[in-house]
Amino acid sequence: VTDRNRIFNRGLLLIIGILFGSAGFLKAYDSVDLKLVLLFDGLPGHLVPVLAWCVILFEIALGLSLILDLGGKVLTRITLAILIIYSAQLGFLLAFRQPPPCSCFGKWKVYKSNRQDAMMGLARNAFLISGLIWTGRRKVPVDSIKKAAEGTIL
């Protein structure tokens, strides 16, 4: 792995960490939209406040861990899994004509339409997921490929 790849990977994780951390803090400030999404998902109303705080605290912890570079490849894989889960949630919201606000960044919205917010969230996540997959590629040394082709390593 070259220095350029390490710098790109670290920069990407730093950006994702800032996104998760800020999303968590914005939801902590006002979690109404997050609670609406959880209710829309069909979760029991009495569990929604607790689940909302679990999501908020998890996002803040994940963001800080990424910013501080704690956890290495395991943390990168967790981040990738969370982005895929969040993307599935956004896809679910897009299946409805009038979905609730995605609550990606609390009350902060760029678009007037909840559908547009969800679509942009999905596009953002696809970009971040692609970046994580690209930086997570492991280059196999040419010698290993040659040995495998010759049948000398399994």
Side-chain angles (χ1 to χ4, degrees), residues 1 138-153:
V1 180
R138 197 179 103 187
K139 292 184 179 178
V140 179
V142 174
D143 292 343
S144 297
I145 296 170
K146 287 179 183 176
K147 288 178 183 178
E150 296 169 356
T152 56
I153 60 172

Side-chain angles (χ1 to χ4, degrees), residues 80-109:
L80 182 60
I82 294 301
L83 285 169
I84 290 169
I85 291 167
Y86 281 12
S87 296
Q89 173 64 36
L90 290 170
F92 173 73
L93 293 178
L94 284 171
F96 297 90
R97 219 168 233 227
Q98 303 218 349
C102 72
S103 79
C104 295
F105 291 98
K107 287 285 186 189
W108 185 62
K109 291 183 178 191

